[in-house]
Amino acid sequence: MSTNGHIPVLLEEVMNFMDIMREGVYVDCTIGLGGHAFEIVKRNPKALLIGFDIDETSLLKAKEKLKPYADRVELYLSDFRYLPDLKIDFSQTKGILLDLGISSFQLDSPERGFSFSKEGPLDMRMDLRNRTTAHRIINKYSEYKLAQIFHEYGELKQARRLAREIVSMRKSEKIETTVQLRRIAEHVCRWRPQKGKIHPAAKLFQAIRIEVNQELKSLSSFLERIFQKIPKKARITAISFHSLEDRIIKHTFSALAVPKNSHPEFKILTKKPLIPSEEEIAKNFRSRSAKLRAGEKI
Ligand SMILES: C[S@@+](CC[C@H](N)C(=O)[O-])C[C@H]1O[C@@H](n2cnc3c(N)ncnc32)[C@H](O)[C@@H]1O
């Protein structure tokens, strides 16, 4: 189902795992263009929705989309990591949704610098109030630090060579654009397009984006803290788009599911992560790397 040309990933699976027909509060931590959120408030007239996004443009778009249900929607321009600190009544919470990473809208906006296939400035900030841009990382970080980021967040075999090349290139002239950076990746990794092979710039851009937005920093502690706040029977549903994030969710869920004083407190509802069907991938290529995990507080 497309909403404003935007297709929410694993939509029916999210609706099922969140068990959205219950009366109560649903929190969309990463509202984006409001695709999942819209379906929750549309399908369940007794659902109240709290939404977060750190990208102001996306939040405004979500606000517009959710206008017909504005009386049941509360939106915050904020990092979701602050949700557990909010002075709100969590007792009515029925579901927490995380659909991590960037949206197709952000990816498709060249001026945001997320896409290696479109010429744009090296920015990659989700939150434009953030002072660290991709430009700063690429032009200022030490060779050692760059290699570390490429290795850790991009799992790139050529991390050190890429870092060395970037540092050497920037000595003569600053690296300004996404395409310049893509060309460096293509050159260092000796890229030849081949069916089924991932472009090296995809991993490089992923690594830089994670560093710019500190994406992995507080995911695990967020899940643990929000788990403490929500009532029994509330569900947590998380969609990730790369293995680093999925690993964090998997391990945090497993830790939460360990019985405390022989009382289980969290039930994992997805033994294995759910992935999109071939049909969904054909309709929405961006969904191809999505993995959904869900659990319920018991
Ligand atoms: C994949 S999109 C969500 C799409 C949304 N589910 C929909 O159907 O329209 C991810 C969104 O999360 C936002 N985001 C990423 N990390 C965030 C964070 N830590 N706090 C708040 N929002 C975040 C991004 O700005 C982006 O808009």
Side-chain angles (χ1 to χ4, degrees):
M1 186 181 311
S2 170
T3 42
N4 286 356
H6 163 69
I7 308 173
V9 170
L10 291 164
L11 178 63
E12 291 312 317
E13 292 81 351
V14 168
M15 299 298 117
N16 287 337
F17 278 109
M18 296 271 282
D19 197 7
I20 59 135
M21 293 315 289
R22 294 172 294 162
E23 180 174 355
V25 178
Y26 296 83
V27 185
D28 188 339
C29 295
T30 51
I31 202 160
L33 299 189
H36 292 106
F38 182 84
E39 288 298 319
I40 296 172
V41 284
K42 185 181 97 178
R43 295 184 193 193
N44 178 1
K46 292 190 171 163
L48 301 177
L49 188 113
I50 297 182
F52 282 79
D53 209 291
I54 31 170
D55 180 350
E56 190 169 15
T57 318
S58 299
L59 198 74
L60 288 172
K61 283 186 174 283
K63 189 176 176 190
E64 187 58 34
K65 186 176 176 59
L66 293 161
K67 228 179 190 168
Y69 308 106
D71 54 334
R72 290 190 278 123
V73 174
E74 216 173 285
L75 298 178
Y76 293 89
L77 174 63
S78 168
D79 193 310
F80 63 73
R81 79 176 78 153
Y82 302 117
L83 166 65
D85 306 320
L86 281 188
K87 299 246 172 309
I88 55 174
D89 177 13
F90 284 96
S91 66
Q92 299 308 313
T93 310
K94 297 289 183 280
I96 304 279
L97 172 64
L98 293 133
D99 177 14
L100 295 160
I102 50 169
S103 65
S104 42
F105 162 69
Q106 288 163 321
L107 192 64
D108 293 340
S109 307
E111 73 281 6
R112 302 295 296 270
F114 288 113
S115 167
F116 64 84
S117 57
K118 297 184 177 72
E119 175 95 45
L122 284 173
D123 191 322
M124 301 196 200
R125 288 170 301 169
M126 292 184 200
D127 182 350
L128 296 178
R129 298 165 299 182
N130 183 355
R131 286 168 119 194
T132 305
T133 59
H135 187 276
R136 183 164 171 184
I137 290 169
I138 290 299
N139 289 290
K140 292 267 189 267
Y141 276 26
S142 68
E143 186 178 322
Y144 175 79
K145 186 91 200 285
L146 285 175
Q148 198 181 29
I149 291 166
F150 300 161
H151 171 68
E152 224 174 281
Y153 298 156
E155 299 177 312
L156 276 150
K157 281 198 198 105
Q158 306 87 343
R160 286 169 69 176
R161 280 175 46 218
L162 274 164
R164 202 179 315 139
E165 182 70 7
I166 287 169
V167 170
S168 148
M169 297 284 282
R170 77 188 189 194
K171 275 186 188 142
S172 48
E173 195 177 357
K174 274 188 179 168
I175 301 162
E176 300 285 349
T177 73
T178 49
V179 170
Q180 270 176 292
L181 190 59
R182 182 189 78 208
R183 294 214 174 106
I184 295 176
E186 287 173 346
H187 168 69
V188 171
C189 304
R190 297 200 179 92
W191 168 246
R192 297 274 173 283
Q194 234 177 312
K195 207 173 168 223
K197 242 187 144 185
I198 298 173
H199 195 291
K203 292 184 177 179
L204 179 62
F205 274 53
Q206 170 186 300
I208 301 166
R209 205 195 79 204
I210 291 175
E211 174 68 12
V212 169
N213 299 288
Q214 295 290 302
E215 288 176 39
L216 305 179
K217 204 174 155 200
S218 44
L219 184 54
S220 177
S221 70
F222 167 76
L223 291 170
E224 285 160 7
R225 290 176 65 220
I226 202 64
F227 171 77
Q228 299 304 333
K229 294 272 177 179
I230 55 177
K232 286 184 179 170
K233 296 219 182 308
R235 292 186 167 189
I236 304 178
T237 304
I239 304 174
S240 61
F241 290 85
H242 54 77
S243 55
L244 302 168
E245 241 162 25
D246 182 55
R247 226 174 285 152
I248 294 175
I249 295 163
K250 180 180 166 184
H251 290 154
T252 314
F253 275 15
S254 300
L256 292 174
V258 173
K260 312 279 173 322
N261 302 325
S262 60
H263 288 295
E265 292 183 352
F266 188 68
K267 187 171 145 199
I268 296 173
L269 303 171
T270 45
K271 261 196 176 152
K272 281 189 175 170
L274 248 81
I275 55 171
S277 62
E278 280 178 20
E279 198 187 341
E280 175 165 358
I281 297 171
K283 272 195 228 149
N284 179 14
F285 189 59
R286 187 190 157 259
S287 71
R288 72 196 181 285
S289 43
K291 283 189 177 156
L292 180 153
R293 293 185 189 268
E296 181 178 309
K297 186 157 175 174
I298 49 175

